[in-house]
Amino acid sequence: AQSVTQLGSHVSVSEGALVLLRCNYSSSVPPYLFWYVQYPNQGLQLLLKYTSAATLVKGINGFEAEFKKSETSFHLTKPSAHMSDAAEYFCAVSGVLTGGGNKLTFGTGTQLKVEL
Amino acid sequence: KAGVTQTPRYLIKTRGQQVTLSCSPISGHRSVSWYQQTPGQGLQFLFEYFSETQRNKGNFPGRFSGRQFSNSRSEMNVSTLELGDSALYLCASSNTGGEYGYTFGSGTRLTVV
């Protein structure tokens, strides 16, 4: 079974500081990995995805993530935090199911707070 | 193009009632999945439909069911509502098998009282 672990349920950074949200995965096959963001009372918005092409993936809003197989990690970073980045972030892994198709298995989420 | 549309956005139901939620996927997307989000359990997979067939189902009781129509629109139904069914229900669609990710709707917030 595939799973992801997000370290830190709450992360607080100052505006302009580096954002680092951690995600480690467990998968017996090459995984597809995703980061989603959720704003209050909204659905999930895809930030970026890793699908076995380049290991450094660039996403929307200045976010990027690096796939490191040796560390089974897919950490999300942004060089300079903005107030509008305050939201909950979910790491997810996609796994093939016995009936065909896929499902996303999500981490428990990291609430990002950006302070002035 | 239009995104994934879920209706209604908010629902309040009484314990024991049933409810039907609707999801219209992105045009051309044939795969629709449903997820339940609660503070205690996080995001959990309910089921996935592809070309009107349920391909996979998560670990939920039989009170949770769904279907997909020929135009790929999907509905999910919860019968005999319990207080614990209060959650944000998210629908997601994909134009492939989902391995490249899903586009999510804004969700339906169900409150059971």
Side-chain angles (χ1 to χ4, degrees):
Chain A
Q2 296 178 308
S3 65
V4 291
T5 301
Q6 290 184 243
L7 297 175
S9 59
H10 291 82
V11 170
S12 183
V13 301
S14 299
E15 190 174 36
L18 171 72
V19 175
L20 171 61
L21 304 183
R22 300 177 186 273
C23 173
N24 288 87
Y25 70 91
S26 173
S27 177
S28 57
V29 297
Y32 294 129
L33 293 161
F34 309 86
W35 276 100
Y36 283 89
V37 61
Q38 186 177 37
Y39 298 98
N41 297 316
Q42 294 294 319
L44 301 174
Q45 181 182 11
L46 180 65
L47 279 176
L48 48 80
K49 60 190 176 189
Y50 168 75
T51 56
S52 73
T55 56
L56 181 61
V57 182
K58 294 187 182 300
I60 62 171
N61 301 339
F63 285 94
E64 62 181 39
E66 186 172 8
F67 173 75
K68 292 187 177 180
K69 184 177 179 181
S70 61
E71 299 177 8
T72 61
S73 69
F74 190 58
H75 302 330
L76 182 71
T77 60
K78 182 174 181 178
S80 177
H82 191 271
M83 296 295 290
S84 61
D85 294 327
E88 189 156 24
Y89 292 79
F90 292 92
C91 181
V93 61
S94 178
V96 178
L97 302 173
T98 54
N102 288 264
K103 75 167 185 178
L104 291 171
T105 300
F106 289 90
T108 50
T110 298
Q111 187 71 45
L112 175 65
K113 181 178 180 181
V114 182
E115 300 175 315
L116 287 171
Chain B
K1 56 184 178 182
V4 178
T5 304
Q6 290 189 247
T7 56
R9 285 295 312 275
Y10 301 92
L11 264 178
I12 300 177
K13 290 287 187 178
T14 303
R15 193 170 45 180
Q17 287 185 313
Q18 75 161 17
V19 67
T20 299
L21 311 182
S22 180
C23 172
S24 293
I26 289 174
S27 179
H29 284 194
R30 296 166 62 191
S31 173
V32 174
S33 295
W34 289 87
Y35 291 81
Q36 181 197 63
Q37 185 178 25
T38 60
Q41 299 299 315
L43 283 150
Q44 294 187 287
F45 172 75
L46 279 157
F47 28 64
E48 185 215 6
Y49 287 87
F50 185 84
S51 294
E52 301 180 64
T53 301
Q54 185 184 88
R55 286 201 294 195
N56 294 285
K57 186 171 169 39
N59 189 26
F60 278 82
R63 301 184 297 106
F64 291 82
S65 63
R67 59 178 175 168
Q68 186 180 34
F69 302 96
S70 58
N71 62 358
S72 293
R73 190 178 71 87
S74 177
E75 291 181 345
M76 69 163 281
N77 184 77
V78 188
S79 62
T80 320
L81 284 166
E82 301 177 359
L83 296 179
D85 297 333
S86 294
L88 180 66
Y89 290 88
L90 293 165
C91 169
S93 75
S94 171
N95 62 352
T96 62
E99 62 269 29
Y100 295 106
Y102 286 88
T103 302
F104 283 81
S106 297
T108 294
R109 172 75 63 184
L110 172 65
T111 302
V112 182
V113 298

